[in-house]
């Protein structure tokens, strides 16, 4: 998938890091739990370059966490690298040593990993940041009503297209034969549906949330209910050589990630305020709060639980013929994940 460079909100990574560096350790955040890794704070903080998508609402906890001292609390020196907002550019950032760790959609990670890309997935972030939306004028109210209709997408390989191809396949349809997938510019999916150029749209938040509200679209599916109930959609992966040499640093990132996302689940308004003030996304703080409130930030699996999530996603991509039919989902899921706290 590709999001135009102009969607970056006009805030440079350098400015964000300057703001973040001024923040103290978040000792008063009060987030604790038996699942959290608690490293001894001794010696200089290890440096980790974390690739993220600053324009995506679901990635906002990463920037918020840096600005508010969550990573400093775990004695890890995180630098955010804006990797360009696509699965392809995320892989490139890690492969070309521009980042050590990256946050991305599960469905973006799996094919490169099947092809031998040296990354280990080690912690989940959240569930549910994609929506399948229909025009009220179309009369479509469920997946069955969508058969034979036109679905607007921004890229044939985009995560929303792949995710909802899985949803439709599991509902008994042939995703490629029973529907017409039409490509429109990223910013115009809502308008395409509103004008009647398409009957439905598959999009990412916060844009999916915005066009749903703006055009009063009917939600047919998302990636946190139905076939995706209880499933994680975004996970962090670490470059293999970096992980081998810096497992302690990656453990610290994982521990901070768990804490950051749990905090976001309980305080979406704070994260939305930071996002609105810092990244200027062109979406109101109120809409950002509402959008973040709908995402499942409590869902951040590690260890064996993460393996289960990845296994299900591999099975999904085999169903839609993205993953090789001979790939064993359980073996593959175990091979590409790491129990970071073991």
């Amino acid at each position: 998938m590709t999001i135009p460079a102009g969607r970056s909100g006009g805030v440079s990574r350098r400015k964000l890091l300057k703001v973040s560096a001024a923040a103290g350790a978040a000792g008063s955040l009060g987030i604790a739990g038996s699942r959290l890794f608690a490293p001894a704070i001794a010696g200089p903080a290890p440096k980790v370059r974390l690739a993220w998508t600053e324009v995506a609402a679901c990635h906002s906890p990463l920037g918020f966490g840096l600005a508010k001292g969550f990573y400093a609390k775990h004695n890890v020196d995180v630098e955010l690298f804006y990797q360009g907002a696509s699965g392809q550019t995320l892989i490139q950032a890690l492969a070309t040593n521009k980042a050590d760790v990256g946050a991305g959609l599960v469905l973006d990670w799996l094919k490169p990993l099947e092809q031998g890309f040296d990354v280990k997935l080690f912690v989940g972030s959240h569930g549910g940041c994609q929506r399948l939306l229909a025009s009220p004028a179309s009369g479509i109210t469920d997946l069955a009503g969508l058969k034979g209709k036109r679905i607007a997408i921004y890229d044939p390989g985009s995560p929303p297209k792949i995710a909802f191809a899985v949803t439709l396949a599991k509902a008994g349809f042939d995703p490629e034969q029973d529907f017409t997938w039409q490509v429109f510019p990223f910013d115009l999916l809502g308008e395409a549906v509103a004008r009647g150029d398409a009957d439905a749209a598959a999009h990412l938040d916060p844009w999916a949330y915005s066009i749903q509200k703006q055009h009063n679209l009917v939600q047919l599916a998302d990636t946190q209910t139905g076939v995706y109930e209880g499933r994680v959609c975004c996970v962090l992966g670490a470059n293999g050589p970096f992980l081998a040499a810096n497992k302690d640093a990656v453990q610290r990132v994982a521990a901070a990630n768990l804490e950051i996302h749990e905090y976001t689940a309980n305080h979406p308004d704070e994260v939305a305020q930071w996002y609105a003030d810092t990244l200027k996304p062109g979406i109101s703080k109120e809409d950002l709060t509402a959008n973040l409130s709908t995402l499942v930030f409590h869902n951040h699996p590690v260890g064996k639980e993460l393996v289960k999530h990845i296994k299900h996603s591999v099975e999904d991509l085999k169903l839609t013929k993205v993953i090789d039919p001979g790939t064993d989902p359980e073996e593959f899921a175990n091979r590409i994940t790491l129990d970071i706290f073991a």
Side-chain angles (χ1 to χ4, degrees), residues 55-81:
V55 294
C58 60
H59 280 211
S60 58
L62 302 176
F64 174 85
L66 179 58
K68 301 301 181 180
F70 281 81
Y71 294 108
K73 178 183 178 182
H74 289 271
N75 199 37
V76 59
D77 179 10
V78 165
E79 175 186 353
L80 294 179
F81 173 76

Side-chain angles (χ1 to χ4, degrees), residues 80-341:
L80 294 179
F81 173 76
Y82 179 54
Q83 54 85 9
S86 82
Q88 292 77 21
T89 52
L90 170 60
I91 298 303
Q92 290 167 9
L94 293 171
T96 57
N97 197 36
K98 294 176 181 176
D100 309 308
V101 171
L105 290 157
V106 174
L107 300 184
D108 273 344
W109 283 114
L110 294 182
K111 191 61 181 180
L113 291 175
E114 184 192 34
Q115 294 172 330
F117 186 53
D118 188 7
V119 159
K120 295 289 187 183
L121 307 179
F122 63 93
V123 63
S125 295
H126 67 274
C129 57
Q130 299 163 75
R131 303 168 193 258
L132 181 60
L133 307 165
S135 162
S138 71
I140 299 169
T141 58
D142 56 22
L143 295 177
L146 194 57
K147 185 176 180 180
K149 299 299 194 297
R150 304 159 299 168
I151 306 173
I153 53 174
Y154 58 86
D155 187 283
S158 67
K161 195 268 186 176
I162 295 171
F164 295 119
V166 170
T167 297
L168 294 167
K170 289 189 172 183
F173 302 106
D174 183 326
E176 300 307 321
Q177 299 299 319
D178 291 338
F179 312 92
T180 299
W181 302 89
Q182 293 182 291
V183 176
F184 293 90
F186 185 93
D187 289 335
L188 299 179
L189 294 192
E191 284 73 6
V193 175
R195 289 195 309 263
D197 294 336
D199 304 294
H203 213 349
L204 297 162
D205 283 334
W207 305 280
Y209 177 88
S210 294
I211 66 173
Q212 181 179 11
K213 181 178 178 181
Q214 180 182 356
H215 300 294
N216 194 32
L217 303 183
V218 178
Q219 183 162 304
L220 305 177
D222 59 30
T223 52
Q224 57 184 271
T225 58
V227 301
Y228 293 105
E229 181 77 37
R231 298 268 295 278
V232 70
C233 70
C234 289
V235 300
L236 268 62
N239 175 282
F242 179 83
L243 176 63
N246 301 276
K247 184 179 178 181
D248 176 71
V250 178
Q251 284 178 327
R252 294 167 188 267
V253 170
N257 191 72
L258 293 173
E259 192 168 340
I260 289 165
H261 286 83
E262 193 62 26
Y263 189 86
T264 300
N266 296 309
H267 305 277
D269 54 331
E270 290 184 35
V271 180
Q273 186 69 65
W274 174 86
Y275 187 18
D277 292 345
T278 308
L279 298 180
K280 306 293 191 290
I283 300 171
S284 71
K285 184 257 183 180
E286 291 72 25
D287 279 354
L288 285 170
T289 299
N291 186 195
L292 293 176
S293 297
T294 68
L295 304 183
V296 189
F297 286 112
H298 289 296
N299 195 354
H300 31 65
V302 294
K304 292 181 179 179
E305 189 63 26
L306 178 60
V307 172
K308 292 179 184 177
H309 285 254
I310 300 302
K311 175 178 176 287
H312 289 315
S313 292
V314 175
E315 291 169 343
D316 287 346
L317 292 193
K318 286 186 69 174
L319 181 65
T320 54
K321 302 177 183 179
V322 173
I323 294 293
D324 189 280
T327 297
D328 182 310
E330 186 164 0
E331 185 278 331
F332 182 41
N334 276 286
R335 174 160 46 89
I336 65 173
T337 57
L338 174 70
D339 189 348
I340 192 64
F341 300 129

